[in-house]
């Protein structure tokens, strides 16, 4: 009886949490097809009479928000950040995971410390470093900064997973004459597919939804807008016109939302694989 009450309580709490999370999404989706007057009068109404795709089409052709350009730039950032993060964190995680000395553990602690430092704390030092190196307001500077932010999480996931891969595979490849770098890329890396997919999904969502860092590092004067900073630039001139705000927001979040729904099983699978494998 107590177990059943506990299950109902847990289900109720989860349902309430899901409702709280879904209400804002519902408002964005429904109000993306309404006029400003209808949104203000009936924000929760979903009747077919007041819905129109006109506002969504207007947002797609808005001169203040070039959707295709913003999507293209953001996808470019996502690809570059994921590729650099994998190239840097993968081999480093392999060395740390296979290492048995004290400095290997200390090095891992240094990387993991990055998980507990708020991004806002890093903004001022990063600005000084980027200005000193001449990368402030440039795409390479932004990509390097975003890549740096992904490394701690990648190290956390990769090191835990690599430790579950038998060392005998490394030893067999070493007998065949393979070096450590070749062992990692040709033997270990193919086995890391679940955790690599998990890291890529999480980094993709992080880069896509990031607003503060591109706004600060790239800045409005660079002319380079990601999806989120593009939304800000678009609705900043029409903050009172909700028929512009909601369709623009929907266009910005729809791709990453669909991506998350498709890949959410990969995230769970990758996070739990290291705990259950071997």
């Amino acid at each position: 009886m107590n177990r059943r009450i506990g299950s109902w309580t847990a289900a109720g709490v989860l349902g309430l949490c899901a409702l709280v999370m879904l209400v804002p999404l519902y408002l964005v989706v429904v109000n993306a097809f309404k006029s400003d007057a209808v949104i203000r009068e009936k924000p929760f109404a979903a009747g077919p009479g007041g819905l129109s795709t006109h506002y969504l089409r207007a947002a797609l052709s808005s001169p203040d928000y070039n959707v295709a350009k913003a999507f293209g730039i953001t996808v470019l950032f996502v690809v570059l950040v994921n590729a650099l993060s994998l190239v840097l964190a993968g081999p480093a995680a392999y060395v740390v995971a296979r290492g048995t000395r004290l400095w290997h553990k200390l090095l891992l602690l240094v990387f993991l410390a990055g998980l507990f430092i708020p991004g806002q704390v890093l903004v001022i030092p990063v600005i000084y470093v980027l200005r000193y190196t001449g990368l402030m307001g440039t795409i390479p500077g932004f990509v390097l900064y975003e890549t740096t932010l992904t490394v701690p999480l990648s190290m956390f996931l990769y090191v835990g997973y690599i430790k579950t891969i038998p060392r005998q595979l490394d030893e067999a490849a070493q007998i065949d004459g393979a070096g450590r770098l070749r062992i990692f890329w040709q033997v270990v890396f193919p086995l890391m597919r679940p955790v690599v997919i998990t890291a890529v999904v999480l980094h993709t969502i992080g880069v896509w939804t990031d607003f503060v860092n591109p706004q600060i590092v790239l800045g409005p004067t660079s002319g380079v807008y990601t999806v989120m900073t593009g939304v800000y630039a678009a609705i900043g001139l029409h903050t009172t016109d909700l028929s512009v705000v909601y369709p623009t927001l929907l266009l910005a979040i729809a791709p990453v939302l669909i991506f998350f729904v498709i890949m959410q099983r990969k995230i769970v699978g990758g996070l739990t694989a290291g705990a259950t494998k071997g």
Side-chain angles (χ1 to χ4, degrees):
M1 185 65 180
N2 290 335
R3 181 178 295 181
R4 182 174 298 178
I5 293 175
S7 300
W8 289 349
T9 303
V13 171
L14 289 175
L16 184 61
C17 291
L19 185 64
V20 171
M21 297 294 290
L22 288 175
V23 166
L25 179 61
Y26 169 79
L27 285 174
V28 171
V29 173
V30 169
N31 291 328
F33 301 92
K34 296 179 185 176
S35 66
D36 183 70
V38 175
I39 294 173
R40 295 180 186 279
E41 184 179 353
K42 300 176 181 177
F44 287 92
L51 302 182
S52 171
T53 59
H54 165 74
Y55 309 103
L56 202 58
R57 286 186 274 112
L60 281 169
S61 59
S62 170
D64 299 317
Y65 180 48
N66 189 328
V67 179
K69 183 180 179 182
F71 278 24
I73 290 174
T74 309
V75 169
L76 175 65
F77 287 159
V78 166
V79 172
L80 291 176
V81 169
N82 276 307
L84 277 177
S85 179
L86 179 59
V87 169
L88 293 175
Y94 174 67
V95 172
V96 171
R98 290 296 193 244
T100 56
R101 297 181 179 178
L102 178 61
W103 70 268
H104 291 110
K105 296 180 180 178
L106 293 177
L107 188 60
L108 179 60
L109 288 176
V110 170
F111 278 113
L112 296 186
L115 290 173
F116 305 100
I117 300 176
Q120 295 80 358
V121 176
L122 302 175
V123 170
I124 300 298
V126 166
I127 289 175
Y128 278 107
V129 171
L130 292 178
R131 281 181 178 172
Y132 181 78
T133 55
L135 294 174
M136 188 67 184
T138 66
I139 291 177
F142 175 72
V143 171
L144 289 175
Y145 178 41
E146 286 285 336
T147 302
T148 304
L149 295 178
T150 65
V151 169
L153 179 59
S154 295
M155 288 292 294
F156 174 73
L157 294 173
Y158 293 166
V159 170
Y161 192 86
I162 291 173
K163 285 184 177 178
T164 67
I165 299 175
R167 288 175 179 269
Q168 289 80 356
L169 296 177
D170 301 35
E171 295 167 358
Q174 199 169 10
I175 292 174
D176 291 338
R180 299 195 70 180
L181 198 58
R182 185 179 169 192
I183 292 174
F184 171 73
W185 287 113
Q186 294 189 353
V187 178
V188 177
F189 178 69
L191 301 175
M192 294 172 56
R193 185 168 175 264
V195 74
V196 169
I197 292 176
T198 299
V200 168
V201 172
L202 295 176
H203 297 334
T204 299
I205 295 173
V207 174
W208 190 278
T209 58
D210 191 3
F211 171 75
V212 176
N213 293 325
Q215 187 70 8
I216 293 176
V217 176
L218 293 174
T221 56
S222 69
V224 179
Y225 291 99
T226 64
V227 169
M228 291 302 160
T229 56
V231 168
Y232 177 73
I235 67 178
L237 301 175
H238 308 281
T239 51
T240 57
D241 190 350
L242 298 180
S243 65
V244 174
V245 174
Y246 280 107
T248 307
L249 287 176
L250 181 61
L251 289 176
I253 66 173
V256 73
L257 187 63
I258 295 171
F259 180 70
F260 176 76
V261 171
I262 295 174
M263 302 297 290
Q264 55 92 16
R265 286 193 176 184
K266 300 290 185 182
I267 298 175
V268 177
L271 291 175
T272 58
T276 58
K277 190 176 179 181

